[in-house]
Amino acid sequence: MMKKLVIVLVLLCSFWSTAQQRDVKNNTISVSGRALVERTITLYRAKVSLNMEQLYYSDPTCKSLDDLKEKYFKDLKTNGIDPSEFVEKKMEFLTYGYQREGTVLVLETSSKDKIEKLAKVKMTGITIQYQVKSEIKPEQRTVLLKNSLANARENAERVCKVTGKKLGEVISISDSSIQYSTWNSYHNGYEEYTTIYVTYAME
């Protein structure tokens, strides 16, 4: 008899818990909120590929990689750029799979003017990829959180208005992570947003 009573009590508690969870779920609203991330460019990176494969027919005066380097470095100096600022990465060029010799030179600088000067040095056998490092300050994180939370509340209030409900208190918040610094191609052409997910009580 006692055993049956215990089973009945367990079942009743289970039904009550399920009903309570269903009630809570039916009286909440979950929305997302976004805020525009505005970063500051702090560093520029130029990755210069010197490729002898492109010079086989177009420039017979360059018979070796050293010839191409000498010619390129001369033009760099003419445009006010010191070749010693570049870091050479031969192994990276080998991963490209070209048949003829070549190398990769990397320049990192905080000077936008220097990058613009580099872009003006054009030569057959030379290709350049540009990247920028952009950062946000730690204090901006708080501002982004406030702005995305305000946006989430606006979205929730809009839904409540349509459904004839009243917006209640915050039940939970899930915050997506955002990197303080990123490297991207110079022309990525998109805006960055941080997103949070908020669940509110709905009356």
Side-chain angles (χ1 to χ4, degrees):
M1 182 68 180
M2 189 66 182
K3 186 177 180 180
K4 291 182 178 179
L5 181 60
V6 171
I7 293 175
V8 171
L9 289 174
V10 171
L11 290 174
L12 287 174
C13 289
S14 177
F15 291 149
W16 177 81
S17 177
T18 302
Q20 187 181 44
Q21 290 176 3
R22 188 183 298 112
D23 184 58
V24 170
K25 186 177 180 180
N26 290 339
N27 288 279
T28 61
I29 177 174
S30 297
V31 295
S32 64
R34 301 199 309 166
L36 180 64
V37 179
E38 296 181 351
R39 295 181 179 272
T40 301
I41 294 176
T42 57
L43 203 61
Y44 299 87
R45 178 190 289 161
K47 190 175 291 187
V48 185
S49 296
L50 284 70
N51 189 352
M52 289 299 297
E53 194 162 298
Q54 298 177 11
L55 295 177
Y56 187 67
Y57 296 107
S58 59
D59 189 354
T61 61
C62 289
K63 300 184 182 299
S64 68
L65 180 59
D66 287 337
D67 291 340
L68 179 57
K69 276 186 181 179
E70 182 179 356
K71 185 176 180 180
Y72 184 56
F73 287 172
K74 182 179 179 180
D75 279 6
L76 289 178
K77 291 176 181 178
T78 301
N79 284 272
I81 302 173
D82 185 359
S84 66
E85 294 184 47
F86 289 81
V87 176
E88 188 168 9
K89 297 187 176 183
K90 291 183 178 180
M91 183 59 69
E92 183 168 344
F93 182 84
L94 293 176
T95 64
Y96 295 166
Y98 291 110
Q99 297 298 316
R100 296 185 177 275
E101 62 179 339
T103 191
V104 172
L105 304 174
V106 178
L107 173 67
E108 289 189 3
T109 177
S110 59
S111 171
K112 182 179 179 182
D113 180 63
K114 187 173 293 185
I115 290 296
E116 290 176 346
K117 287 181 179 179
L118 179 64
K120 294 177 182 178
V121 182
K122 301 182 185 299
M123 185 184 300
T124 303
I126 304 294
T127 55
I128 308 178
Q129 296 176 324
Y130 298 97
Q131 289 182 309
V132 294
K133 184 179 184 180
S134 54
E135 299 180 334
I136 60 171
K137 297 177 181 179
E139 55 267 27
Q140 286 179 265
R141 192 70 185 88
T142 302
V143 175
L144 287 170
L145 182 57
K146 288 181 178 179
N147 291 344
S148 54
L149 185 57
N151 180 244
R153 188 170 187 85
E154 289 176 5
N155 294 335
E157 289 175 341
R158 188 179 301 111
V159 175
C160 285
K161 185 177 180 180
V162 173
T163 58
K165 299 283 188 177
K166 291 179 64 176
L167 190 64
E169 64 182 5
V170 174
I171 301 299
S172 66
I173 298 177
S174 176
D175 184 17
S176 62
S177 61
I178 182 172
Q179 294 180 320
Y180 285 102
S181 64
T182 60
W183 281 100
N184 292 299
S185 59
Y186 196 79
H187 300 290
N188 52 34
Y190 67 88
E191 294 182 327
E192 182 185 3
Y193 289 85
T194 182
T195 305
I196 64 170
Y197 303 91
V198 187
T199 298
Y200 295 92
M202 193 168 57
E203 304 169 358

